[in-house]
Amino acid sequence: MKQSMKKYILKKLIELIFTLFFVTLLSFLLMRLSAVDPATAYAKRMIGSPTTEQIEAIRIQLGFDKPLLIQYGSWVIDLLHFDLGTSLANGHEVWKDIATAFPKTLGIVFLASVFQIITIIVLSCTTFLLPWKIPKNALQIICILGVSIPSFYLATVYLDFFAVKKSLISVTGNTSFLSYISPALCIGVFGASFYIPMLMDALDHESNEDYAFYARCRGLSESRLLFYHFLPRAAVGLIPNFLQSIGLALANATVIEQIFSIPGFGYLIVNHVLDRDTPMIHAEVFFLALAIALCNIAADLIQWAIQIKKEVA
């Protein structure tokens, strides 16, 4: 058991390394294929109207004249030494800006996950206990709408109604933890709408198992069966998929933050792409890929552990 677990973890670590390698190399390749030259963009920002000689001197100074693989190799070596360079847009250390912005994104994703878990459990359990089919069918329709509406569109409508028309929330200066609630709700709607039908189906499946029939014969109530037997068994199977959705929520938050003017990780990415700030872009792509990959690996490990437990049982 321990040997197989070590092999599985080693396999996932190798997959993580190759994933980060291809993603970061792709970011370097896309920057090279882009029509906008980062050296020219930096020269215009620093000088205003640079000459060809000045642009070439900056290109050499920043190392953009070297072949792509050499640039990438130098960046990887610096990364291994925990050196991500300096931002071309503001002169800040890349580590410093990322360390300031990334916790904000994690806070939004955490609140979105909590909102999803509460909504999924409450609505699924409530409709399960109700004897009528109408609430279940209505919830299914609502979930279809929730999955169909893009999060960025929902965020735009939400901001227009609560901030512009009702003046209940602020449009700018969203730096407090309470300001994360609105984007978290907009992100969480999709996940909740996606997993509610899955949990409802899983609960129905568990309620039709043989152990449920014998438990009812012993006099156990439906509510006791639900919370002590059906829900734990049904939720275990959804945990791996839910962890994968957290990685997707991280990527989704990069767009939602821009709408709510929250200076998080996504806010950084959008602004630095517009500024052609290559050191920041490469670092942001690396950390975003790392976070998503870690969520997927955690989901795979839990799924593997569940399968091993079932085989042993």
Side-chain angles (χ1 to χ4, degrees):
M1 176 71 71
K2 291 183 179 179
Q3 192 67 21
S4 61
M5 187 163 116
K6 289 180 181 179
K7 288 183 179 179
Y8 192 81
I9 293 175
L10 180 61
K11 176 185 175 183
K12 290 300 173 182
L13 288 176
I14 293 174
E15 289 180 1
L16 174 64
I17 292 172
F18 274 99
T19 299
L20 295 178
F21 168 74
F22 284 114
V23 169
T24 53
L25 182 60
L26 182 63
S27 72
F28 271 79
L29 180 61
L30 291 176
M31 291 295 294
R32 176 63 65 89
L33 296 176
S34 175
V36 181
D37 178 30
T40 303
Y42 179 74
K44 288 182 178 179
R45 186 163 54 248
M46 298 300 296
I47 301 173
S49 299
T51 63
T52 305
E53 291 78 12
Q54 289 173 322
I55 294 175
E56 192 61 30
I58 290 176
R59 190 189 315 278
I60 296 173
Q61 176 187 349
L62 299 176
F64 294 148
D65 60 317
K66 298 177 182 178
L68 177 66
L69 291 179
I70 294 179
Q71 292 184 45
Y72 180 71
S74 300
W75 181 82
V76 171
I77 293 173
D78 291 338
L79 175 64
L80 294 176
H81 290 85
F82 301 99
D83 180 15
L84 292 175
T86 304
S87 170
L88 301 181
N90 52 33
H92 297 167
E93 291 184 5
V94 174
W95 277 110
K96 182 178 179 181
D97 282 357
I98 290 179
T100 302
F102 203 55
K104 296 181 175 65
T105 301
L106 292 179
I108 293 174
V109 174
F110 173 76
L111 286 178
S113 300
V114 171
F115 165 72
Q116 289 179 59
I117 292 172
I118 294 174
T119 305
I120 293 167
I121 292 176
V122 170
L123 293 182
S124 298
C125 292
T126 301
T127 54
F128 177 83
L129 293 174
L130 291 176
W132 311 291
K133 289 186 177 181
I134 294 178
K136 296 181 181 180
N137 295 334
L139 184 59
Q140 292 278 3
I141 295 173
I142 293 173
C143 289
I144 292 174
L145 292 175
V147 172
S148 303
I149 299 175
S151 297
F152 67 87
Y153 177 78
L154 181 63
T156 304
V157 175
Y158 180 98
L159 196 65
D160 178 65
F161 181 79
F162 289 102
V164 178
K165 294 182 179 179
K166 300 298 181 180
S167 300
L168 296 176
I169 61 174
S170 175
V171 180
T172 59
N174 294 323
T175 56
S176 64
F177 188 76
L178 291 176
S179 64
Y180 301 166
I181 295 176
S182 295
L185 291 176
C186 294
I187 294 173
V189 166
F190 175 85
S193 301
F194 183 80
Y195 285 104
I196 284 174
M198 294 179 65
L199 183 57
M200 290 171 60
D201 291 340
L203 292 175
D204 287 336
H205 175 75
E206 292 295 330
S207 67
N208 293 321
E209 291 291 316
D210 292 338
Y211 76 89
F213 173 76
Y214 294 120
R216 292 188 182 98
C217 292
R218 290 165 50 199
L220 270 69
S221 63
E222 283 297 311
S223 59
R224 183 175 179 83
L225 282 171
L226 171 63
F227 293 110
Y228 286 92
H229 298 280
F230 300 161
L231 183 60
R233 291 170 180 263
V236 166
L238 297 180
I239 290 175
N241 291 332
F242 186 78
L243 286 176
Q244 289 180 334
S245 71
I246 292 178
L248 296 176
L250 279 170
N252 198 11
T254 59
V255 179
I256 304 301
E257 287 173 352
Q258 191 74 12
I259 296 175
F260 285 93
S261 301
I262 294 178
F265 198 68
Y267 198 82
L268 277 184
I269 292 176
V270 173
N271 289 335
H272 290 135
V273 167
L274 295 175
D275 292 335
R276 305 297 298 168
D277 192 345
T278 52
M280 288 297 303
I281 294 173
H282 297 323
E284 288 157 358
V285 168
F286 169 78
F287 279 103
L288 185 59
L290 176 63
I292 295 175
L294 288 177
C295 289
N296 291 336
I297 289 176
D300 291 339
L301 288 174
I302 291 176
Q303 182 67 44
W304 177 80
I306 293 173
Q307 291 177 353
I308 292 296
K309 186 176 180 180
K310 288 182 179 178
E311 291 175 1
V312 173

